[in-house]
């Protein structure tokens, strides 16, 4: 089979599998059927099973990854939608963004170093707690691997969804809805925001705002992170 | 004057005074409006399917164009800021200043944000390029992510809880006068 045909088929399989998965998940809301998890796992099995070289797989599907760029710009709309909350609780939201980002970057890099992971992985892990489009940009300007960063972002989102509520119950001081939302948005971006939305509307909005602003802040701070750590 | 709405203290009079282009009546509703915006923002307004498809395509094209413009600006002036952030800041500035209307881009933005999983799924397959990474470093990476996530949650909770209390205290001091200045 020619490379071009293989690339086109890979693209079709990715899009087809994603929409089939999404359709199925809308009917049966089982956590293992989440498109976030099931689609990449099935694709991985398909690509490994059929022996498709990564070079051929990514040739056309990289245009899907490219759309993460315009998606970062699209975040300006929901941020503007929530401007009332932003005005009223700007201080708390800013505190959430700064503390969550700083803790995430410092602890990820230091833990990765302590465990003897390579500088490349340290860079990928540094930006793992912000939403994918921003993480990819931030990893790029750190000189890290954007695709691995996307993988770590996904792992972080799933971790945050799994442990979030347990951690909130265990922490004695999280009484305000604002703090609950900030915890989810700051630590686990999209996955956390989905979880925060289940806790309540205020939590959902705060989580979304912290997620978006932390994303932009991480990209803006990438040169500084690079100078401080790498 | 303050009202409890959804457990969050809102200095109502001061808030209304600080909001341009909105009446006091509207401001009293903003708590619920803002809270439901997350859910409403993700479901596009009612347009016939074909027209909605057209709107999504045109507006996604517009957002892509914005990204390309930001990228060429970045290249031309050798800016240290990535195109995505440049475009995000420009669009935010446009929206907050009123130069750009939300409905120009609503459908496109909803589509891009709603289908984001599709855009990063291909990036996941990069693991096939790093078999050693999965075999040797997999558990270490998972450990870093797990520990760090719990740390981030604890630190954020502590900080936001303190700052929120400060915010309430400031609102109470400012509240009775009804001005934010």
């Amino acid at each position: 089979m020619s490379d071009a045909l293989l690339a086109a088929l890979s693209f079709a399989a990715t899009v087809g599998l994603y929409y089939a998965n999404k359709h199925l998940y809308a009917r049966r809301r089982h956590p293992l059927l989440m498109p976030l998890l099931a689609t990449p796992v099935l694709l991985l099995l398909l690509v490994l099973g059929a022996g498709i070289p990564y070079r051929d797989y990514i040739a056309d599907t990289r245009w899907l990854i490219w759309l993460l760029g315009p998606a970062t710009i699209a975040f300006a709309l929901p941020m503007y939608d929530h401007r009332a909350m932003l005005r009223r609780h700007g201080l708390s939201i800013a505190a959430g963004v700064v503390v969550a980002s700083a803790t995430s970057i410092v602890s990820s890099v230091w833990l990765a170093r302590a465990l003897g992971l390579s500088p490349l992985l340290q860079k990928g892990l540094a930006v793992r707690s912000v939403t994918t489009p921003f993480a990819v940009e931030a990893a790029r300007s750190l000189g890290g691997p954007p695709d691995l960063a996307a993988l770590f972002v996904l792992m972080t989102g799933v971790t945050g969804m799994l442990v979030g509520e347990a951690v909130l119950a265990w922490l004695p001081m999280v009484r305000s809805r604002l703090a609950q939302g900030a915890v989810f948005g700051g630590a686990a971006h999209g996955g956390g925001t989905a979880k925060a939305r289940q806790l309540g509307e205020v939590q959902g909005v705060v989580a979304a705002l912290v997620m978006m602003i932390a994303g932009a802040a991480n990209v803006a701070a990438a040169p500084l992170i690079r100078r401080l750590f790498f | 004057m303050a009202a409890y709405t959804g457990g969050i203290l809102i200095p109502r009079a001061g808030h209304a005074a600080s909001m341009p282009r909105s009446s006091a009546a509207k401001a009293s509703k903003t708590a619920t409006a803002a809270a439901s915006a997350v859910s409403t923002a993700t479901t596009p307004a009612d347009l016939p399917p074909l027209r909605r498809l057209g709107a999504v395509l045109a507006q996604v094209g517009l957002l892509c164009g914005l990204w390309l413009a930001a990228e060429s600006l970045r290249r031309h002036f050798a800016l240290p800021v990535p195109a995505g952030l440049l475009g995000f800041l420009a669009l935010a500035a446009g929206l907050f200043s009123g130069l750009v209307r939300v409905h120009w881009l609503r459908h496109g933005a909803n589509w891009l944000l709603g289908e984001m999983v599709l855009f990063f799924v291909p990036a996941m397959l990069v693991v096939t390029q790093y078999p050693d990474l999965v075999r040797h470093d997999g558990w270490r990476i998972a450990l870093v992510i797990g520990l760090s996530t719990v740390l981030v949650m604890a630190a954020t909770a502590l900080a936001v809880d303190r700052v929120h209390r400060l915010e309430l205290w400031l609102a109470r001091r400012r509240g009775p006068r009804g001005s934010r200045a």
Side-chain angles (χ1 to χ4, degrees):
Chain A
M1 219 186 298
S2 77
D3 287 359
L5 185 61
L6 213 51
L9 281 176
S10 299
F11 183 89
T14 305
V15 176
L17 212 56
Y18 167 76
Y19 278 108
N21 191 176
K22 209 179 149 177
H23 185 72
L24 184 69
Y25 185 64
R27 291 171 172 222
R28 255 183 70 67
R29 298 220 156 244
H30 192 280
L32 288 176
L33 289 178
M34 281 194 304
L36 190 73
L37 273 180
T39 304
V41 169
L42 280 176
L43 266 178
L44 203 60
L45 292 176
L46 188 73
V47 166
L48 288 177
I52 301 169
Y54 180 74
R55 189 171 44 84
D56 290 336
Y57 174 79
I58 208 72
D60 280 352
T61 51
R62 72 197 165 94
W63 293 109
L64 292 171
I65 304 177
W66 182 84
L67 282 171
L68 285 171
T72 45
I73 300 180
F75 270 118
L77 266 88
M79 193 179 80
Y80 178 73
D81 289 336
H82 302 322
R83 61 197 178 283
M85 183 72 88
L86 202 59
R87 273 204 193 93
R88 202 174 306 136
H89 297 295
L91 210 57
S92 299
I93 290 166
V97 167
V98 171
V99 173
S101 299
T103 313
S104 171
I105 294 159
V106 173
S107 68
S108 298
V109 173
W110 282 355
L111 280 168
R113 270 186 200 165
L115 288 168
L117 293 173
S118 69
L120 200 71
L121 292 177
Q122 292 170 21
K123 285 176 186 169
L125 284 163
V127 293
R128 61 170 188 83
S129 73
V130 299
T131 185
T132 314
F134 287 111
V136 165
E137 294 262 30
R140 219 171 260 144
S141 54
L142 273 184
D147 36 17
L148 277 182
L151 181 68
F152 299 154
V153 167
L154 174 82
M155 289 171 72
T156 301
V158 174
T159 307
M161 287 175 92
L162 290 177
V163 304
E165 272 166 305
V167 174
L168 275 189
W170 169 74
L171 290 169
M173 63 281 187
V174 202
R175 267 166 298 161
S176 70
R177 296 171 188 216
L178 224 57
Q180 291 178 350
V183 162
F184 275 109
H189 53 90
T193 302
K195 208 70 186 164
R197 220 172 284 171
Q198 291 171 8
L199 293 181
E201 291 180 337
V202 175
Q203 287 93 325
V205 175
V206 173
L209 280 170
V210 170
M211 166 183 85
M212 294 182 281
I213 300 168
N218 267 256
V219 177
L224 180 71
I225 300 167
R226 188 172 193 174
R227 195 172 310 158
L228 285 176
F229 292 102
F230 302 108
Chain B
M1 275 237 266
Y4 258 103
T5 315
I8 292 180
L9 197 63
I10 299 160
R12 190 180 279 170
H15 180 65
S18 73
M19 280 190 36
R21 290 197 309 277
S22 71
S23 65
K26 204 174 158 195
S28 69
K29 280 186 203 153
T30 45
T32 38
S36 60
V38 164
S39 40
T40 52
T42 47
T43 48
D46 30 15
L47 270 182
L50 211 63
R51 280 201 57 195
R52 201 169 87 189
L53 184 71
V56 167
L57 278 176
Q59 293 175 7
V60 167
L62 216 59
L63 284 160
C64 290
L66 199 57
W67 190 89
L68 289 171
E71 175 65 12
S72 66
L73 257 176
R74 188 193 65 80
R75 281 215 188 132
H76 191 261
F77 295 102
L79 298 170
V81 189
L85 183 59
L86 217 57
F88 170 80
L89 293 175
L91 183 55
L95 287 167
F96 277 96
S97 67
L99 285 173
V100 179
R101 297 266 165 232
V102 172
H103 69 261
W104 293 351
L105 294 167
R106 170 69 73 208
H107 293 280
N110 279 348
W111 186 80
L112 278 173
L113 295 175
E115 310 292 346
M116 221 163 74
V117 170
L118 173 63
F119 310 147
F120 68 73
V121 155
M124 299 295 106
L125 272 90
V126 75
V127 291
T128 58
Q129 292 296 90
Y130 300 90
D132 288 343
L133 187 103
V134 179
R135 222 168 290 140
H136 301 295
D137 295 332
W139 68 272
R140 272 181 271 229
I141 292 169
L143 189 65
V144 171
I145 290 175
L147 280 177
S148 171
T149 299
V150 174
L151 273 175
V152 174
M153 286 182 157
T156 310
L158 187 69
V160 175
D161 205 63
R162 289 289 144 86
V163 174
H164 181 46
R165 257 180 249 170
L166 173 75
E167 227 177 34
L168 290 179
W169 181 77
L170 286 173
R172 225 173 285 137
R173 278 191 58 192
R174 204 162 7 181
R177 272 186 220 147
S179 84
R180 287 209 133 187

